[in-house]
Every structure is written in structure tokens, then in C-alpha cells.
Amino acid sequence: MLQRVAVPEGYTLVDYERYAGLGDEVAAVREAGRLAAQQLAGRKLWIVNSTAQGGGVAEMLLRQVALLRQLELDAEWVVITTRDPAFFRLTKRLHNMLHGVDQGPLTADDQALYERVSRELAAELKELVKPTDLLVVHDPQPLGAGALVGLPAVWRCHIGLDEETPSTRAAWAFLAPWLPAYERKVFSLKEYVPPGLQAAIIQPAIDPLSHKNRELSIHKLTGILACAGLVHHEHPKTAAPFEAPALRLRADGQFAPVREDFGLLYRPTVLQVSRWDKLKGFGPLLQAFALLRADGAHPATRMVLAGPDPASIQDDPEAVEELGAIAAAWQALPPELQADVAVLSLPMASRKENHLVVNALQRCATVVVQNSVQEGFGLTATEAMWKARPVLVTRAAGLRAQVRDYVEGRQVGSAADVPALAQALTEMLSNEKARELWGANARHRVMHHFTVLHSLVAWLELLGDSFRQRST
Ligand code: UDP
């Protein structure tokens, strides 16, 4: 099944001039847009992926579609769904394998399933598109469907590993038959391009004006936290609390609205906000915090582990399992430590509310961590950097491409190295001057490399170029 994603009005109202404070990029986008509009000559761009919310890809697409439309380019976003849960289990395995995680062999049945669902989806896509249109297909889930539509197409791969393993080889062999239908392939980092494939590189980016990243005054920030139930101060806004409050893990293993104020606004806070995924390294991070506290260090510091309510994301069947594992690890902590670690499930019923809460949490954090085993890019790091937060990351390729050791924060060699994580956290929490410097550097780096305007220029050039190639 296909689902068209509507761009909310708030997005379409944002004008390029509002980005003017972010360097010279606005003029570059306008020029690239003018050229691409000429080259594409009215062709509609169909952007296809597998989720409308709760993940880095979905985040960027919304603003990109809105901004493309303002450049007079016709763009439409479609999400694939299927009644067959086995399909998303298979694509999740492929996702993990492309990150090098062994998922057992891929079988002829897996191929048959992927092909069958891809054919169904392609048939639906064909009903929507015109022969003159262009496809931009994101990630492995809709790769097969996009290949079968028969339109000029670009495949955008957001994931990958910076080394070859038996798992990556098997996953790429599985996907290989679908790739030739795409005349351009785009990856986030050159390290992720599989051997023998020609691909362009476009780094992901954040939108500084989104609810996730926009500036928040102190009043706004406290209002958001109060409306989400995360602080319990009186605030004029709490007369209209959020549709769904944030939920905190309780001692009985259930999630419930937060009952007590756990000091977000006045205690040092270490934050990781991510999808609930084994590859995000929540488990060892929790252990590192326990180790830091066992050493008696930073007794006032709290840790917040936050992620989207797993029930709300249909292409991520492993999230429930991973959150269960984190909950079990948290329940095994002594009660005084449990009180200092908040595991938060953030409802996705309202995308705006969810994003405002993520924004507020990142702004409250003393240190933001992204302890990923592997990371395609790591927008949560980019978002924190934009907010001038010092960041602690692993050397996963997508993270080390953003955060340089001792420049924007710290790197640890491995997500599983609990003592190294605890040590880096202790150092960061102890050194306010370094935190300020690294935070300022971080904001500067995002402003000059990783905003949506940078990626839009790259996309407009690539699309115009692809079309020109086709017409000659
Ligand atoms: N995110 C969100 N709500 C949440 C938790 C996470 O919107 O409750 C966002 C997060 O802010 C980031 C994205 O999900 O923008 C995750 O992107 P990232 O590149 O870090 O990882 P991915 O999900 O693509 O693996």
C-alpha cells in the first residue's frame, strides 16, 4: 500500500529568507533551484520511503519537499506500507546486515518475499506516476519497488558500514539485482559505497527552523517541559498540556506519565535520544553511567535515555524488544540509581510535540551522547551540535565525520567500552570550559556543513544533472 504524506502548513509557510542568517547558502539554493527547474521542465519528483515519522530520513524529507515546492519544483512524498509484516522484518534484517550485524543467511524465500511485495508496490506506484516523472527512492525497503516502475530513478542509501564483512557482502548481493535500474546512487559517506558501485555523496543535514531545532526562549522551553509533564512547575501553558505526556519507566516495568520532577532544569544531565535500536548502544551507556556513579563521581548528575514510543513506528519491529532490554537493565539498578536515570518513551501522536520535547531535552543536556555501534550519519549528534552542546560519540563513521575528538566533543573507540565511556563522561562533566568551547565549535560546524540548505544545493545539482544525462 502507498500513503501520500501531506506537508503540514507550517512547513510550507517557511520562506528561504528566514534562513538568511545562516551564511550565503540561500543565494546558492535559489540559483541551483532556478537551474534545476529549467532542466526538469515540470517533471514531478516522486520521493519514496518507508516511514513518515520517527527517524532521520523522515525528518529531512518533510522540509526538503516543502523547500523544493517553493523553488517551483513539483515534489510529492509517498510512504510504502504492506499488510505483510514479514517484509519489514526482512528489510530490518537487511538494514542490520548492511551495518555488519550477522542475521543468518538470506534465502530464496526471502528473495521471493522481497520481489512479491516490491511488485505489488510497483504496480501501485505505476498508477500514480506519469511517464515523464522522476523517482527518488530512499533505503532498501522501496528499492525493489522503485526499480520496477520503469521511470528514471535515483536511489538514496542512508545506511552502510565502513568495512566489508560477510553480512554486508550478503546484503549487497541480495540488493544488487535492483540497483542497475537506478541511474544515480547517493550515499552519505564515501566509506559506505559498496565495491564496484559508482555513487554521489550527499551528507545528511538538519533543518535549523524545524520544531526539533528552532531556538527556544527560556519561557518556551520550560513551557514545553511542563506541558509534556517532565517538570512540575506552574506555567501559563500547562492549562493546555500536550496531547500525550512523556512516559517514564517505573519500577514495575511499565511506562507512565512522570510523577516527580527529576531536575531537568537544574541538575547536570547526560542525554541520549535515539530510536530504540541495539545499534544505538543504550545498554553500555547505562552501564557507563552506573560505573561513573559507583566511583562516586558527579553525584548530582542525571542520565536521560529517550526515544520514540515504539508502538508508533511501523517499520521498526525490533524497537519493542530493545526497549524491553533497556528496561530490564534499568530495573536491575539499585533504587537510588534508578531515580537518577530516566528512561523516557516519547509519544509520537503529535509530531510537533514530540519534536519540541526532543529539542527541549537536547537544550537541557550538559553532554549529549550518541553511543552508536554503527551510525549512518547520526542526526541526533548534528541536532545537539546545532544547539551548541558538546557531544560524546563513538568512532562509527557517521559520527566521526561530524565530531572531531577534542574539537566538538569526545570520541570513544567502541560503543561497548564501558570504562572508556565512563572516563570520557567524567572528563566532560568535570571541564566546563572545554564543554563551552566544544559546544561553540559544534554549532559552527553544523552551520557551515550540515544544514538543509547545503544538502538541497547538492540534490538540485544532482537531479538537474541526471535529467540532462537522460535527455541527451
Ligand atoms: N527522534 C525523534 N523523536 C524521538 C526520538 C528521536 O524525532 O522521540 C529523531 C531524532 O531527533 C533524529 C532522528 O529521530 O532526528 C534519528 O535520526 P538519526 O540519524 O540519529 O538515526 P536513525 O534513526 O536515522 O538511525
Side-chain angles (χ1 to χ4, degrees):
M1 282 173 296
L2 301 177
Q3 215 182 314
R4 285 197 200 206
V5 183
V7 178
E9 201 181 331
Y11 276 79
T12 50
L13 293 177
V14 170
D15 191 79
Y16 277 100
E17 300 314 322
R18 286 193 53 202
Y19 289 94
L22 302 176
D24 303 330
E25 250 16 75
V26 170
V29 174
R30 286 201 185 285
E31 180 52 21
R34 197 187 53 75
L35 253 176
Q38 265 175 18
Q39 289 161 331
L40 298 182
R43 285 184 156 188
K44 192 194 269 281
L45 289 177
W46 289 91
I47 295 166
V48 186
N49 83 326
S50 66
T51 179
Q53 55 179 328
V57 179
E59 288 318 299
M60 274 183 297
L61 285 182
L62 205 52
R63 183 66 83 197
Q64 273 184 6
V65 172
L67 289 175
L68 283 168
R69 287 182 186 166
Q70 285 176 50
L71 292 168
E72 314 288 319
L73 287 153
D74 195 0
E76 191 88 48
W77 177 10
V78 175
V79 169
I80 58 157
T81 65
T82 167
R83 285 208 189 82
D84 195 343
F87 177 77
F88 283 125
R89 279 201 295 274
L90 168 62
T91 57
K92 184 68 194 197
R93 280 174 66 209
L94 286 166
H95 176 105
N96 290 340
M97 290 172 77
L98 292 173
H99 282 128
V101 182
D102 184 12
Q103 302 281 289
L106 293 163
T107 62
D109 283 352
D110 292 329
Q111 269 168 10
L113 168 69
Y114 188 81
E115 184 169 342
R116 179 172 55 73
V117 175
S118 295
R119 285 198 185 282
E120 284 163 19
L121 292 167
E124 284 186 63
L125 270 169
K126 279 185 192 164
E127 308 242 309
L128 285 180
V129 301
K130 290 205 298 283
T132 50
D133 293 346
L134 204 63
L135 283 183
V136 178
V137 174
H138 289 256
D139 281 334
Q141 299 94 332
L143 172 73
L148 292 166
V149 175
L151 287 182
V154 181
W155 186 53
R156 199 326 175 193
C157 183
H158 295 270
I159 50 184
L161 185 68
D162 52 343
E163 58 176 314
E164 253 195 288
T165 73
S167 296
T168 63
R169 267 195 291 273
W172 282 121
F174 186 96
L175 298 174
W178 308 99
L179 291 172
Y182 292 86
E183 63 194 67
R184 301 297 297 265
K185 290 98 184 164
V186 179
F187 284 73
S188 297
L189 299 177
K190 65 176 179 349
E191 289 92 329
Y192 298 159
V193 182
L197 202 71
Q198 287 281 331
I201 304 302
I202 299 183
Q203 283 165 331
I206 58 138
D207 176 15
L209 301 185
S210 65
H211 292 304
K212 185 81 64 67
N213 295 307
R214 62 191 245 205
E215 295 300 321
L216 297 176
S217 69
I218 295 210
H219 298 98
K220 184 97 192 164
L221 184 142
T222 49
I224 291 163
L225 294 176
C227 287
L230 288 167
V231 298
H232 291 261
H233 297 299
E234 240 179 65
H235 191 286
K237 290 283 182 196
T238 43
F242 281 172
E243 224 174 278
L247 303 174
R248 183 176 178 186
L249 180 61
R250 295 186 315 203
D252 63 2
Q254 300 297 309
F255 281 87
V258 184
R259 284 206 208 93
E260 66 298 322
D261 192 322
F262 57 97
L264 267 177
L265 287 169
Y266 51 88
R267 287 177 66 167
T269 303
V270 175
L271 169 75
Q272 176 162 300
V273 52
S274 262
R275 282 183 303 104
W276 305 111
D277 186 320
K278 261 203 281 299
L279 294 171
K280 301 294 182 184
F282 278 109
L285 179 58
L286 183 57
Q287 287 174 34
F289 188 71
L291 182 63
L292 174 152
R293 294 297 287 270
D295 289 345
H298 302 287
T301 302
R302 295 249 155 145
M303 174 171 270
V304 175
L305 304 178
D309 178 357
S312 57
I313 300 168
Q314 68 123 19
D315 80 340
D316 198 359
E318 282 172 14
V320 179
E321 199 182 308
E322 174 59 5
L323 185 51
I326 295 161
W330 179 86
Q331 282 179 291
L333 296 174
E336 65 280 8
L337 250 187
Q338 284 184 354
D340 280 353
V341 179
V343 181
L344 301 178
S345 170
L346 306 177
M348 300 289 289
S350 156
R351 181 162 28 203
K352 175 178 171 184
E353 290 177 1
N354 176 278
H355 290 187
L356 286 172
V357 171
V358 171
N359 188 343
L361 286 173
Q362 287 167 333
R363 286 179 193 281
C364 287
T366 315
V367 173
V368 173
V369 186
Q370 193 56 54
N371 188 41
S372 304
V373 178
Q374 294 300 334
E375 190 57 79
F377 190 68
L379 284 173
T380 51
T382 333
E383 290 157 9
M385 291 165 75
W386 172 249
K387 292 158 189 123
R389 301 293 91 202
V391 194
L392 171 58
V393 294
T394 61
R395 293 206 185 104
L399 294 169
R400 66 170 191 256
Q402 300 184 69
V403 180
R404 294 164 294 183
D405 208 9
Y406 296 101
V407 180
E408 286 90 16
R410 290 296 322 277
Q411 295 179 353
V412 290
S414 149
D417 191 343
V418 172
L421 274 168
Q423 173 73 21
L425 272 180
T426 306
E427 281 171 20
M428 290 179 86
L429 289 166
S430 306
N431 193 341
E432 187 176 354
K433 279 219 166 66
R435 287 201 310 271
E436 274 176 19
L437 176 66
W438 297 344
N441 290 345
R443 180 165 170 101
H444 188 263
R445 188 154 165 84
V446 174
M447 186 181 278
H448 293 285
H449 296 281
F450 306 127
T451 75
V452 68
L453 301 186
H454 298 97
S455 74
L456 207 55
V457 170
W459 268 109
L460 290 164
E461 289 173 356
L462 180 127
L463 290 169
D465 192 35
S466 310
F467 175 72
R468 212 177 22 229
Q469 279 187 357
R470 198 162 180 88
S471 64
T472 52

